[in-house]
Amino acid sequence: MAVAARIEEVRTEITALAEATPNAQELMRSMVKLLHDRMLKYNWVGFYLLEPGAVPPILVLGAFEGAMTPHTRIPLNQGICGAAASSGQTVVVDDVAKDSRYLACSLETKSEIVVPIFAHGEVMGELDIDSHFPAAFTSEHQELVQHCAMLVGKKLETAGH
Ligand code: SME
């Protein structure tokens, strides 16, 4: 199946999943599994959420699929994850070996995308995906991952945690 068709199919499935899922925690668990199972280059898929009330703020690992990572708690001044959460911007890294911010999760990882999740206009966390393939996250993939992050943000707004 062509990549664009696969992305479209998965986007539709995830939208339906969000409609059928009552709360954000459950949605995040189902979403990481679906993305990891269906998108062949998404080799690690996980959520980090800002710990409520933590000063200074810290990202805590939530639902994920793939190998266990040593990075279960990430301050906002560290990693690609910290960069995305502190800037509120999507970060795409085509070659992690060339990015000094990168915190290694697996030696096989070649590229990464991190998309912040907003609820009520504030960053609540992020969706992080690693690939064993360089430059895996083209603009059509970015759009899919941003759609997923938006759905989780909306669920956090409507249904709480
Ligand atoms: N690579 C991330 C750390 C998380 S692991 O990839 C799961 C970073 O640089 O922030």
Side-chain angles (χ1 to χ4, degrees):
M1 185 186 273
V3 174
R6 169 65 63 105
I7 288 175
E8 191 53 41
E9 194 178 277
V10 168
R11 193 183 200 282
T12 304
E13 282 176 37
I14 285 188
T15 305
L17 184 70
E19 278 163 17
T21 307
N23 66 72
Q25 291 298 340
E26 209 178 301
L27 178 60
M28 288 188 276
R29 275 196 297 274
S30 315
M31 202 180 267
V32 292
K33 184 156 175 30
L34 197 151
L35 287 172
H36 187 258
D37 287 353
R38 301 291 307 283
M39 301 304 291
L40 301 179
K41 294 187 177 179
Y42 293 14
N43 301 108
W44 190 94
V45 182
F47 286 94
Y48 285 90
L49 295 178
L50 282 170
E51 189 165 79
V55 183
I58 190 148
L59 293 157
V60 180
L61 181 64
F64 73 96
E65 285 282 326
M68 185 56 193
T69 170
H71 305 293
T72 56
R73 294 172 68 82
I74 304 177
L76 294 203
N77 60 357
Q78 286 182 26
I80 314 292
C81 286
S86 57
S87 66
Q89 305 278 325
T90 295
V91 182
V92 175
V93 179
D94 287 340
D95 178 355
V96 295
K98 291 194 181 137
D99 195 315
S100 59
R101 299 169 299 180
Y102 176 66
L103 299 170
C105 167
S106 151
L107 290 177
E108 289 174 298
T109 297
K110 300 286 193 301
S111 61
E112 177 163 11
I113 183 170
V114 186
V115 177
I117 295 166
F118 287 87
H120 303 295
E122 286 186 20
V123 175
M124 303 296 286
E126 59 197 23
L127 175 53
D128 177 15
I129 305 181
D130 292 355
S131 179
H132 296 171
F133 299 82
F137 303 104
T138 57
S139 57
E140 52 199 339
H141 287 279
Q142 288 178 42
E143 199 282 327
L144 172 66
V145 183
Q146 286 172 338
H147 179 68
C148 292
M150 182 275 293
L151 290 172
V152 172
K154 276 200 169 161
K155 194 62 72 176
L156 284 168
E157 285 178 356
T158 57
H161 300 236

Coordinates of all heavy atoms in Angstrom, one line a residue, residues 44 48 69 71 74 79-81 101-103 105 112 128 130, ligand 1:
W44 N 9.2 3.3 17.9 CA 8.9 3.6 19.3 C 7.8 4.7 19.3 O 8.1 5.8 18.6 CB 10.1 4.0 20.1 CG 9.9 4.1 21.6 CD1 10.2 3.1 22.5 CD2 9.4 5.2 22.3 NE1 9.9 3.5 23.8 CE2 9.4 4.8 23.7 CE3 9.0 6.5 22.0 CZ2 8.9 5.7 24.7 CZ3 8.5 7.3 23.0 CH2 8.5 6.9 24.3
Y48 N 4.5 11.6 26.6 CA 5.1 12.2 27.8 C 4.1 13.3 28.3 O 3.6 14.0 27.4 CB 6.4 12.9 27.6 CG 7.6 11.9 27.4 CD1 7.9 11.4 26.2 CD2 8.3 11.5 28.6 CE1 9.0 10.5 26.1 CE2 9.3 10.6 28.4 CZ 9.7 10.1 27.2 OH 10.7 9.2 27.1
T69 N 12.5 2.7 27.7 CA 13.5 3.8 27.5 C 14.0 4.2 28.9 O 13.3 4.2 29.9 CB 12.8 5.1 26.9 OG1 13.7 6.2 27.0 CG2 11.5 5.5 27.6
H71 N 14.7 7.1 29.6 CA 14.2 8.5 29.8 C 12.8 8.5 30.2 O 11.9 8.8 29.4 CB 14.5 9.4 28.6 CG 15.9 9.3 28.2 ND1 16.9 9.9 29.0 CD2 16.5 8.8 27.1 CE1 18.1 9.7 28.4 NE2 17.9 9.0 27.2
I74 N 11.8 13.7 32.0 CA 12.7 14.6 31.2 C 12.4 16.1 31.5 O 11.2 16.5 31.3 CB 12.4 14.4 29.6 CG1 12.7 12.9 29.3 CG2 13.4 15.3 28.8 CD1 12.4 12.6 27.8
G79 N 16.8 17.3 25.9 CA 16.3 16.4 24.8 C 15.4 17.1 23.8 O 15.1 18.3 23.9
I80 N 15.1 16.4 22.8 CA 14.1 16.8 21.7 C 12.8 17.0 22.4 O 12.0 17.9 22.1 CB 14.0 15.8 20.6 CG1 15.3 15.2 20.2 CG2 13.2 16.3 19.5 CD1 16.2 16.1 19.4
C81 N 12.5 16.1 23.4 CA 11.2 16.2 24.1 C 11.1 17.5 24.9 O 10.1 18.2 24.8 CB 11.1 15.0 25.1 SG 10.8 13.5 24.3
R101 N 20.9 18.0 21.0 CA 19.8 17.9 22.1 C 19.4 16.5 22.3 O 18.8 16.2 23.4 CB 18.6 18.7 21.7 CG 18.9 20.2 21.4 CD 17.7 20.8 20.8 NE 17.4 20.3 19.5 CZ 16.4 20.7 18.7 NH1 15.6 21.7 19.1 NH2 16.2 20.1 17.5
Y102 N 19.6 15.6 21.4 CA 19.0 14.2 21.4 C 19.5 13.4 22.6 O 20.6 13.3 22.9 CB 19.4 13.5 20.1 CG 19.0 12.1 20.0 CD1 17.6 11.8 20.0 CD2 19.9 11.0 20.0 CE1 17.2 10.4 19.9 CE2 19.5 9.7 20.0 CZ 18.2 9.4 19.9 OH 17.7 8.1 19.9
L103 N 18.5 12.8 23.3 CA 18.7 11.9 24.4 C 18.4 10.5 23.8 O 17.3 10.2 23.3 CB 17.8 12.1 25.5 CG 17.8 13.5 26.3 CD1 16.6 13.6 27.2 CD2 19.1 13.6 27.0
C105 N 17.4 6.8 23.2 CA 16.5 5.8 23.8 C 16.9 4.4 23.3 O 17.0 3.5 24.0 CB 15.1 6.1 23.3 SG 13.8 4.9 23.5
E112 N 13.4 11.2 14.5 CA 12.4 11.4 15.6 C 11.5 12.6 15.3 O 11.9 13.6 14.7 CB 13.2 11.7 16.9 CG 12.3 11.9 18.1 CD 13.0 11.8 19.5 OE1 14.2 11.7 19.5 OE2 12.3 11.7 20.5
D128 N 5.7 11.4 21.1 CA 7.0 11.3 20.7 C 7.1 10.0 19.9 O 6.7 8.9 20.3 CB 7.9 11.2 21.9 CG 9.4 10.9 21.6 OD1 9.8 11.1 20.4 OD2 10.2 10.5 22.5
D130 N 9.9 7.6 17.5 CA 11.2 7.3 17.0 C 11.2 6.3 15.8 O 10.3 5.4 15.8 CB 12.1 6.7 18.1 CG 12.4 7.6 19.2 OD1 12.0 8.8 19.2 OD2 13.0 7.1 20.2
Ligands
SME1 N1 14.8 11.0 22.2 C1 14.1 11.8 23.2 C2 14.0 11.0 24.5 C3 12.9 10.1 24.6 S1 13.2 8.6 23.9 O1 13.4 8.8 22.5 C4 11.9 7.6 24.1 C5 14.7 13.1 23.4 O2 15.8 13.4 22.8 O3 14.1 14.0 24.1

